[in-house]
Amino acid sequence: MKYTAARSYRAVRWLTTRLEEATAEAARRPDRGDISITTVIIWVAAVTGALVIAGTIAVVITKYNGNLAGI
């Protein structure tokens, strides 16, 4: 029980310290290079396109699996 409490205390202390450091860094450098909305839109479109292509390939392979078995 003692060990768990000590681990929890260390974890909370580390998290608090990390949060304080991040806050200080944000105050010191207001332009931290945050990701822009354009970048998010491009990434979402790219991932969506990749999933559509993969889904299409899976459907075609499933549909023609019997015909391709004899090749």
Side-chain angles (χ1 to χ4, degrees), residues 8 11 16 26 44 49 58 60 67:
S8 298
T16 304
V44 169
V60 169
N67 295 341

Side-chain angles (χ1 to χ4, degrees), residues 16-61:
T16 304
T17 304
R18 179 67 183 107
L19 184 59
E20 289 171 356
E21 289 172 357
T23 305
E25 178 72 15
R28 194 182 62 160
R29 291 180 36 208
D31 182 22
R32 298 183 324 252
D34 290 336
I35 201 163
S36 69
I37 190 68
T38 307
T39 305
V40 172
I41 291 170
I42 291 170
W43 273 102
V44 169
V47 170
T48 304
L51 290 174
V52 167
I53 291 170
T56 303
I57 291 171
V59 167
V60 169
I61 287 176

Side-chain angles (χ1 to χ4, degrees), residues 1-9:
M1 187 72 167
K2 237 180 183 183
Y3 181 70
T4 305
R7 282 182 66 185
S8 298
Y9 176 76

